[in-house]
Amino acid sequence: MAARIERFTISIPPELLTTFDEVCAAKGYASRSEAVRDAIRNYLVAHEWGLQASDTEVVGTITLVYDHDNHRLASRLLDEQHARHDQVLSTLHVHLDASNCLEVIVLRGPAPEVAALADRLISLRGVKHGRLVTSSAG
Ligand code: NI
């Protein structure tokens, strides 16, 4: 059975709509509606994430690019993950080149703790780029 669909009208400045259509086309969306549905879902997930109570389980990934030659940093990253072994589900490590590593850490746990771990790791000296991507566990 097909899901019921609601139609609604929105007011938007023409230049914003033009930019939106350009981005939709670049991303390969077949229709404006599908892009709007995805944008709304992302908006709702972000909102839900911000409202998580400490007893609500969430999932997320931390992506880090860091200096391979900084051995103290590599050791610190491992220590932080071992200390949170109950929340770290998996880690992917890629040796980007002779001196750069990419690491993706998959986490599941209380939102405040996942966010705090991400903040600690991303702010470490020698981490060149870091980002937490959050999602709902449910
Ligand atoms: Ni490496």
Side-chain angles (χ1 to χ4, degrees):
M1 189 174 77
R4 224 166 67 82
I5 296 290
E6 298 276 350
R7 291 179 192 276
F8 69 102
T9 304
I10 63 169
S11 303
I12 184 171
E15 62 275 11
L16 183 59
L17 184 58
T18 298
T19 304
F20 184 76
D21 284 343
E22 287 168 0
V23 171
C24 292
K27 286 177 176 286
Y29 280 102
S31 75
R32 188 186 276 163
S33 288
E34 187 53 40
V36 169
R37 285 193 286 272
D38 274 0
I40 290 174
R41 288 186 195 106
N42 287 336
Y43 181 84
L44 295 177
V45 167
H47 177 72
E48 183 187 346
W49 175 269
L51 297 178
Q52 300 298 322
S54 59
D55 61 347
T56 304
E57 195 175 63
V58 295
V59 292
T61 59
I62 303 171
T63 299
L64 303 169
V65 174
Y66 65 92
D67 181 4
H68 164 70
D69 299 318
N70 185 337
H71 295 274
R72 180 177 288 183
L73 171 63
S75 174
R76 177 75 190 278
L77 289 171
L78 275 175
D79 288 347
E80 288 280 1
Q81 293 182 59
H82 275 274
R84 293 281 177 279
H85 63 86
D86 52 328
Q87 295 170 9
V88 175
L89 299 178
S90 183
T91 302
L92 168 74
H93 186 102
V94 177
H95 312 300
L96 287 179
D97 56 33
S99 58
N100 288 290
C101 296
L102 167 72
E103 204 152 291
V104 180
I105 304 162
V106 182
L107 297 150
R108 181 174 200 143
E113 292 183 32
V114 169
L117 178 59
D119 287 342
R120 275 201 306 283
L121 297 182
I122 291 168
S123 63
L124 287 174
R125 183 190 297 266
V127 173
K128 299 173 178 177
H129 179 248
R131 177 166 287 185
L132 170 66
V133 174
T134 59
S135 190
S136 166

